[in-house]
Amino acid sequence: MNIGIVCYPTFGGSGVVATELGKAIATKGHNVHFITYTQPTRLDFFNENINYHEVDISAYPLFKYPPYELALASKIVDVALYEKLDLLHVHYAIPHASAAYMAKQILLTKNIHLPVVTTLHGTDITIVGKDKSYEPVVTFSISQSDGVTAVSESLKKETYDFFKVKNHIEVIPNFVDLSRFRRQSKEHFRKAICPQNEKLLVHTSNFRKVKRVQDVVHIFNAVRKKIPAKLLLVGDGPERHHIEELCRECGDCGDIRFLGKLEMVEEVLSIADVFIMPSEKESFGLAALEAMACEVPVISSNTGGLPELNIHGETGFLSNVGDVEDMTRNTLIVLDDANHETFKKNALARAQQFQVDNILPFYTDYYNKVLKEFHASVK
Ligand code: GMT
């Protein structure tokens, strides 16, 4: 197959899933064409089956907002025509699904039929998509997609509950590459961060409001009143400044480190004792899955798709959003020497169920199903 993939090329979960999916598909012998505005973060190597097409956005004084969606649609048309795409898979509805729709209509005028699969990742539905300024376009472009997938049952339900869409939504969860995300021996690193063998709490995110990073700091503050502990915060984003201020107010600065946007997050996870994800909304929780693959139990909220990943009392614990007290109690249970090894083992076993080799066939089978139905309908 010749597959086009459109995604955000940044550190975010949807871009990571799209890139890792493209890489995995390419290893099965298919040709993959990434179409984005810059080289995806995790696409930093050569593979004969992987191609990258950059979307050029011409500036013009008249454009207060350069029309990225139009440039993307034009690029999709170009790649579909010259690389003879069999299928286009767009990740994150806005603006990728609507750009794909426009490209598909342009291609039709050239008598080319291009099926489009849209994957809903989370905030494209739960936050941005519900915004009045985007909702009609999101509803329309989901309805016009030839295939739609969502990363959890919860996201599928939320899509049906909020948007007037009738098409079938296939749930295909996030996945993890266990050859990369595995617990490595990083004793020197651990010693540098936790010289007195303190317990290590880790959080990684894009520091947006939806991640409730302030809860991580409050949990840490309460935990360290009971046991010696350190906190590593990985990632960066709009809330970082407030979080730094909060750490100062709590007087915890010396025991908290901000590591910024690290690429080798598996190295940090390799020395972690517990992962904290108190999100307001989380359609799946890829960062938690990556932690579990590195044998790190997860303390999370019970929002969205998190209960589909994190098993309460086995791989970690779930609490109501904002219930810092409960999350603190649970963190202490997980860190208790009598329980920690069991939680670690369970976390790894759960992550193994989501390894890329288990999930990839769901995508390729789904592509084949969409292609078959699509070509039967255009005959
Ligand atoms: O977590 C983010 O804010 C990034 C966001 C994205 O779209 O890049 O992640 C979403 O997609 C991931 C991959 O499918 C999911 O694992 C995350 O749970 C989801 N984030 C939210 O729903 C907040």
Side-chain angles (χ1 to χ4, degrees):
M1 271 188 273
N2 267 344
I3 297 164
I5 292 185
V6 175
C7 64
Y8 283 107
T10 48
F11 277 89
S14 63
V16 169
V17 168
T19 313
E20 294 297 337
L21 176 63
K23 282 157 69 174
I25 292 169
T27 63
K28 302 289 175 205
H30 302 291
N31 280 313
V32 177
H33 296 269
F34 284 96
I35 307 170
T36 69
Y37 57 80
T38 191
Q39 185 93 1
T41 317
R42 291 200 186 176
L43 203 66
D44 51 359
F45 60 96
F46 171 74
N47 177 304
E48 56 182 349
N49 294 337
I50 294 183
N51 308 271
Y52 165 63
H53 308 267
E54 191 154 307
V55 180
D56 320 297
I57 314 154
S58 306
Y60 186 69
L62 190 62
F63 297 155
K64 186 171 172 202
Y65 306 105
Y68 175 67
E69 192 176 340
L70 302 186
L72 174 61
S74 296
K75 185 55 101 179
I76 294 171
V77 169
D78 182 73
V79 176
L81 278 175
Y82 295 101
E83 304 291 349
K84 305 211 176 336
L85 294 184
D86 295 306
L87 181 140
L88 182 71
H89 188 173
V90 300
H91 292 258
Y92 208 90
I94 305 164
H96 301 152
S98 41
Y101 174 77
M102 186 184 287
K104 189 173 152 173
Q105 297 310 308
I106 297 169
L107 288 162
L108 265 183
T109 66
K110 300 174 193 297
N111 214 18
I112 289 174
H113 300 265
L114 179 67
V116 173
V117 170
T118 299
T119 288
L120 309 173
H121 279 274
T123 49
D124 47 351
I125 294 300
T126 58
I127 300 179
V128 198
K130 286 183 180 171
D131 190 305
K132 267 208 172 107
S133 41
Y134 298 113
E135 181 280 320
V137 177
V138 173
T139 304
F140 178 78
S141 41
I142 293 175
S143 302
Q144 294 298 319
S145 296
D146 302 290
V148 181
T149 80
V151 298
S152 61
E153 291 292 341
S154 152
L155 185 60
K156 172 179 170 174
K157 183 174 179 307
E158 199 158 349
T159 307
Y160 283 136
D161 286 351
F162 189 85
F163 298 90
K164 286 195 179 67
V165 294
K166 293 211 163 49
N167 18 358
H168 168 77
I169 298 177
E170 185 86 2
V171 173
I172 306 183
N174 287 176
F175 53 85
V176 65
D177 177 359
L178 292 177
S179 65
R180 171 172 172 187
F181 286 91
R182 62 191 164 81
R183 199 160 185 98
Q184 305 162 25
S185 171
K186 295 277 166 198
E187 273 320 300
H188 55 291
F189 183 23
R190 166 117 201 165
K191 268 232 140 62
I193 304 290
C194 306
Q196 308 301 324
N197 208 18
E198 297 91 338
K199 296 295 181 192
L200 183 60
L201 286 69
V202 170
H203 169 82
T204 74
S205 78
N206 50 23
F207 283 62
R208 299 211 178 113
K209 272 203 160 64
V210 69
K211 300 295 176 182
R212 295 188 64 96
V213 188
Q214 74 277 14
D215 288 359
V216 178
V217 175
H218 289 307
I219 294 165
F220 175 69
N221 187 258
V223 165
R224 71 192 287 269
K225 287 190 175 127
K226 304 271 181 197
I227 54 173
K230 301 272 183 177
L231 172 65
L232 291 182
L233 295 167
V234 183
D236 212 334
E239 289 299 298
R240 158 95 185 247
H241 182 64
H242 295 130
I243 300 304
E244 274 181 291
E245 277 177 3
L246 179 63
C247 295
R248 284 176 205 140
E249 279 164 28
C250 295
D252 289 343
C253 296
D255 292 323
I256 300 178
R257 289 201 195 190
F258 291 81
L259 299 183
K261 289 181 183 171
L262 272 189
E263 272 205 47
M264 307 297 273
V265 62
E266 63 274 21
E267 296 194 355
V268 176
L269 294 171
S270 287
I271 62 165
D273 293 312
V274 66
F275 186 82
I276 315 285
M277 182 176 260
S279 308
E280 178 92 37
K281 289 177 185 297
E282 200 66 63
S283 65
F284 181 86
L286 178 62
L289 172 59
E290 291 176 343
M292 287 157 80
C294 295
E295 299 174 39
V296 187
V298 172
I299 297 299
S300 72
S301 63
N302 56 10
T303 190
L306 283 170
E308 294 170 49
L309 170 69
N310 188 17
I311 311 297
H312 188 71
E314 273 184 36
T315 60
F317 286 100
L318 300 157
S319 307
N320 291 332
V321 171
D323 193 343
V324 166
E325 242 176 67
D326 194 49
M327 292 186 199
T328 303
R329 235 184 339 265
N330 292 337
T331 304
L332 290 165
I333 295 173
V334 162
L335 291 176
D336 188 322
D337 286 342
N339 310 322
H340 197 216
E341 279 309 311
T342 309
F343 277 105
K344 283 172 66 179
K345 216 167 67 192
N346 293 346
L348 173 61
R350 181 76 181 137
Q352 281 165 341
Q353 295 172 357
F354 295 93
Q355 63 176 297
V356 58
D357 292 346
N358 291 348
I359 307 300
L360 180 64
F362 292 128
Y363 275 112
T364 46
D365 289 354
Y366 188 64
Y367 289 167
N368 285 324
K369 179 172 169 267
V370 168
L371 277 167
K372 206 167 140 202
E373 288 172 2
F374 179 79
H375 290 299
S377 74
V378 293
K379 257 182 201 157

